[in-house]
C-alpha cells in the first residue's frame, strides 16, 4: 500500500519549512523513525524521522523548496501494497502537486494522515524483510521524483543533488555521505558538497576537519551550488538578491512586531568590573574550577537572575488578548546567538535555580548547539528575559530590541581598560557599559533603573551578592 507522508506541523505552529537535504532516495528501504530528511523551519534545522517502515516510492519535493504544512513530501510503499498503477477512485488521496496522470493508490479514508512518530500516526510493517536497493543502481523507470511544474526550484543544498543533475531531479541510488548533523550543518555553512569529500573518521565518516580541509583546498566545494541563504549573483553584477526565508524571515517579522508593539525604553550604566575580572582570574587558578568555562557572561547571567528576583516586573509578559500581566516565578534566560543562519535566541530553562558552575555548563552546551546548527525548536521558545553580548564584536553599547513577549533585554558591552576614578585617584580600570531595554507598559523607569543598578553593583563588587540573597 502506498503511504503518503505530508509535511507535519513540527510542534511550533509554523506553516512552512524548507527541505534542506534528503537522506533517502527512491528504492531505499527505511525503518520506523529513520532520519530521512533535514528540514529548516523559521527557528531551527530539524531532523525529520520516517513515520513508516517500507520502501521509498516517490520524493515529491526537491531540496531547496519551501513546502507548506500538509503538502506531500514523500511516498512509501508499505508491504501489502495494491498495484502502483491502480487508477484513482473516489476518495483517493492524490498528493498535492502531483501532475495529472500520475496517481497514488488510495488510502483507507478512515486512516489518519501520516505525521511524525509520536503524533498519532499508525505504522504498518510487513512480515517479511525487504531487500535494500543496491547503491549505484540504475534509476527507476517512470518519474522517481514528482515536482509540480509551477514549483520554484532554487539552488540545492551541498551534499544533496549534484549540479549536473537537472533541477527538480534527485540523485537516485547514489551513495550518501556518512556524517553527523553538526558536520552537515558546517558543510552547509561553508558551501561544501559532502559527496565530494573522503571521510577520515571511522568507517569513512566525514568529520569537521574533513569539511574544513575541503573549504581550504577547494575540491570539496561546489562552485555551482551556493550555500543556503547565499545570494544568487553574477560576476560583475552591480547587485544581487537573496530570498528572505527561514530564520531571517522569522527574525525580521518578530523584531518589527516587537518594535511597534512594545514601547521601548533603553537605559545605560557604565561599571568598573575590575573586581569581577579579578574574581574570574582567581577561579581559573583554582583547581576546583579548572574544567569550568566560567566567564563574564556567566557572572552577568547570575547577576541578572538575582536582580530579577528583587525586581520581578522585568520578568513578566503582557497578555493583550486576556488583558492580563503574566508574572513568571522562574527565569528562562535567553541568550542571543549570532549564527550563520541568522539570529537565534535559545534559552536556559530555570536559570535562576543554577549556580555559576551550572550556568557555565548550560551556556557552553547552548553555544555549541547554536554554532553546530543543532539547536532544537523547543530550546528557542519559552524564554522570559534575554541577554545579548555585543561586547564580543567590540561594541560598547546599544539599544537592543526586546525578544517578542518579554519585558526586558540586557546588552553587555565590551570591557575596556579606561582611566577611571578609583579610591580618589585616576587609575586604569576594566570598564563595561550595560544597556537595558524594557517594555514601559510592564516596567516603570524606577523599576528598570533599580534592576540595572543591582546588576552593576554585583559586577562592581561581587561580594554585594551577600546583601541581596
Amino acid at each position: 500500500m502506498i503511504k503518503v507522508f505530508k509535511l507535519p506541523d513540527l510542534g511550533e505552529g509554523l506553516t512552512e519549512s524548507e527541505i534542506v537535504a534528503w537522506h533517502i532516495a527512491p528504492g531505499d528501504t527505511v525503518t520506523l523513525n529513520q532520519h530521512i530528511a533535514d528540514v529548516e523551519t523559521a527557528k531551527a534545522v530539524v531532523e525529520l524521522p520516517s513515520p513508516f517502515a517500507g520502501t521509498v516510492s516517490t520524493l515529491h519535493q526537491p531540496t531547496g523548496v519551501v513546502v507548506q504544512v500538509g503538502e506531500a513530501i514523500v511516498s512509501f510503499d508499505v508491504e501489502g501494497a495494491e498495484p502502483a498503477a491502480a487508477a484513482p477512485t473516489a476518495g483517493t488521496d492524490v498528493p498535492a502537486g502531483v501532475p495529472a496522470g500520475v496517481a497514488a493508490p488510495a488510502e483507507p479514508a478512515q486512516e489518519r494522515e501520516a505525521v511524525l512518530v509520536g503524533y498519532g500516526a499508525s505504522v504498518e510493517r510487513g512480515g517479511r524483510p525487504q531487500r535494500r536497493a543496491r547503491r549505484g543502481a540504475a534509476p527507476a523507470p517512470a518519474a522517481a521524483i514528482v515536482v509540480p511544474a509551477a514549483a520554484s526550484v532554487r539552488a540545492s543544498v551541498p551534499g544533496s543533488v549534484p549540479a549536473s543533475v537537472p533541477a527538480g531531479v534527485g540523485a537516485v541510488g547514489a551513495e550518501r555521505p556518512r556524517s553527523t548533523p553538526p558536520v552537515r550543518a558546517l558543510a552547509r555553512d561553508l558551501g561544501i558538497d559532502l559527496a565530494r569529500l573522503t571521510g577520515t573518521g571511522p568507517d569513512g565518516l566525514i568529520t569537521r576537519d574533513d569539511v574544513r580541509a575541503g573549504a581550504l583546498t577547494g575540491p570539496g566545494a561546489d562552485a555551482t551550488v551556493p550555500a543556503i541563504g547565499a545570494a544568487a549573483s553574477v560576476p560583475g553584477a552591480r547587485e544581487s538578491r537573496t530570498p528572505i526565508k527561514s530564520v531571517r524571515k522569522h527574525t525580521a517579522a518578530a523584531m518589527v512586531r516587537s518594535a511597534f508593539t512594545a514601547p521601548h525604553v533603553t537605559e545605560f550604566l557604565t561599571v568598573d568590573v575590575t573586581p569581577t575580572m579579578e574574581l574570574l582570574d582567581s577561579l581559573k587558578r583554582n583547581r576546583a574550577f579548572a574544567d569550568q568555562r566560567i566567564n563574564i557572561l556567566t557572572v552577568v547571567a547570575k547577576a541578572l537572575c538575582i536582580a530579577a528576583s528583587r525586581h520581578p516586573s522585568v520578568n513578566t509578559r503582557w497578555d493583550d488578548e486576556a488583558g492580563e500581566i503574566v508574572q513568571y516565578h522562574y527565569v528562562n534566560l535567553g541568550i542571543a546567538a549570532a549564527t550563520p543562519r541568522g539570529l537565534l535566541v535559545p534559552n536556559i530553562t530555570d536559570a535562576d535555580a543554577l549556580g555559576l558552575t551550572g550556568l557555565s555548563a548550560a551556556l557552553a552546551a547552548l553555544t555549541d548547539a547554536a554554532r553546530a546548527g543543532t539547536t532544537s525548536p523547543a530550546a528557542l521558545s519559552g524564554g522570559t528575559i534575554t541577554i545579548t553580548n555585543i561586547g564580543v564584536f567590540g561594541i560598547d553599547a546599544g539599544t537592543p530590541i526586546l525578544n517578542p513577549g518579554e519585558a526586558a533585554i540586557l546588552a553587555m558591552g565590551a570591557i575596556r581598560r579606561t582611566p577611571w576614578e578609583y579610591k580618589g585617584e585616576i587609575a586604569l580600570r576594566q570598564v563595561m557599559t550595560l544597556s537595558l531595554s524594557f517594555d514601559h507598559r510592564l516596567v516603570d523607569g524606577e523599576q528598570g533603573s533599580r534592576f540595572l543598578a543591582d546588576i552593576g553593583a554585583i559586577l562592581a563588587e561581587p561580594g554585594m551578592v551577600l546583601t541581596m540573597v
Side-chain angles (χ1 to χ4, degrees), residues 180 182-183 186 190 206-214 368 371-373:
T180 61
V183 173
L186 177 63
L190 297 179
I206 297 175
T207 65
R208 290 176 178 272
D209 290 338
D210 296 331
V211 174
R212 294 191 182 101
D368 291 344
R371 288 174 178 170

Side-chain angles (χ1 to χ4, degrees), residues 52-125:
F52 301 117
T55 303
V56 179
S57 173
T58 306
L59 300 182
H60 297 290
Q61 307 289 348
T63 56
V65 167
V66 175
V67 182
Q68 300 295 316
V69 169
E71 286 190 55
I73 57 175
V74 57
S75 293
F76 298 93
D77 188 355
V78 179
E79 186 153 335
E82 299 174 0
T89 58
T92 297
D93 183 11
V94 180
V98 177
V102 181
E107 290 187 73
Q110 68 276 14
E111 276 199 54
R112 290 169 291 183
E113 295 178 350
V115 294
L116 285 177
V117 175
Y119 285 78
S122 58
V123 179
E124 296 184 16
R125 303 179 186 221

Side-chain angles (χ1 to χ4, degrees), residues 279-315:
L279 171 64
L280 292 175
D281 287 339
S282 67
L283 292 178
K284 291 178 182 178
R285 295 191 299 269
N286 189 324
R287 290 185 178 181
F289 299 95
D291 298 330
Q292 303 294 328
R293 291 159 57 176
I294 299 177
N295 53 30
I296 186 64
L297 176 58
T298 313
V299 178
V300 171
K302 187 58 183 176
L304 180 146
C305 291
I306 293 171
S309 67
R310 290 164 52 86
H311 309 283
S313 63
V314 300
N315 194 39

Side-chain angles (χ1 to χ4, degrees), residues 29-40:
T29 300
V30 299
T31 58
L32 180 68
N33 281 342
Q34 179 178 329
H35 177 198
I36 61 174
D38 293 333
V39 296
E40 185 174 22

